[in-house]
Amino acid sequence: MAAKKIDIMDVRQLIQLKIKGESNRSCSSSLAIHRNTVN
């Protein structure tokens, strides 16, 4: 199955959340992406 591409703005938000120390699970729920995508 082909994966959906995530928007560059989502990538920027993800980086900011990870710098703040957020967990993968909380990042994925706030951005509405799969938890494995955060990894």
Side-chain angles (χ1 to χ4, degrees):
M1 182 185 326
K4 289 184 179 180
K5 293 185 179 186
I6 60 174
D7 190 32
I8 190 68
M9 295 303 290
D10 288 341
V11 173
R12 288 182 182 186
Q13 283 184 326
L14 176 60
I15 292 170
Q16 289 175 352
L17 289 171
K18 291 303 285 182
I19 288 172
K20 289 181 182 178
E22 296 288 328
S23 67
N24 288 351
R25 190 177 296 248
S26 66
C27 290
S28 66
S29 64
S30 64
L31 296 175
I33 57 176
H34 196 271
R35 188 175 41 169
N36 290 339
T37 305
V38 177
N39 288 335

